[in-house]
Amino acid sequence: MTLISKTVVTLIISVMSLFVFRQPPTPTASEKAIRYEYTVDAVPVPQIPSTTLTTQPDAPKTLCEQVFNTAKAIGWPADQLGMLVAIAQRESRCQLDAFNPKDPNGGSHGIMQINGFWCQPSRYWPNGYLQAYGLLTSCADLYDRETNLRAALAIYRYSNGWRAWSL
């Protein structure tokens, strides 16, 4: 490899590392502290086509409405609420206790199926990424609706969109 090609490769890697290893945005104190009372609004929840032949009872619709209202209350962007509910329906049927042990890094937890990668110690986050920002103390906290949606919002902001959910 010539000196010029080594220099070019080094430059490309340096530039890429600026984007891959950048510090995630820090949640503001108001984002951490906001607590709201939740009510079911008359806002329609988008219908998500079923990919299975079984029919679901009406309960998941009510659960998804709760997800919508909680997300709206904690500050999710209004234009993303429909997508959020669709992903919650796809990932967990909006159920708080959903767990997928087959996902890497400790499985996926809760409504938004947040991978254990985000709440377990790593090289860059000795206590875990979500713990570093005071959003939770352990992965078990992801089974709380508000905590799960706050954590998902932090991941959404860090990922600049829905990339963490493979969209």
Side-chain angles (χ1 to χ4, degrees), residues 17 38 42-43 54 77 95 100 106 124 138 150:
S17 68
Y38 308 114
V43 178
T54 60
Q95 295 178 17
N100 181 358
Y124 301 105
S138 72
R150 284 185 189 277

Side-chain angles (χ1 to χ4, degrees), residues 61-126:
K61 180 180 177 187
T62 303
L63 292 173
C64 288
E65 286 176 355
Q66 292 172 4
V67 168
F68 178 90
N69 291 323
T70 304
K72 182 179 175 185
I74 65 171
W76 269 88
D79 64 329
Q80 296 300 317
L81 290 173
M83 179 64 80
L84 172 88
V85 171
I87 290 172
Q89 174 67 21
R90 179 191 79 189
E91 294 285 349
S92 67
R93 299 271 189 246
C94 298
Q95 295 178 17
L96 292 173
D97 61 350
F99 176 69
N100 181 358
K102 294 181 181 178
D103 279 353
N105 299 312
S108 292
H109 309 270
I111 296 167
M112 296 301 291
Q113 288 292 280
I114 295 174
N115 193 282
F117 162 82
W118 296 98
C119 58
Q120 293 177 349
S122 69
R123 181 171 136 194
Y124 301 105
W125 304 100

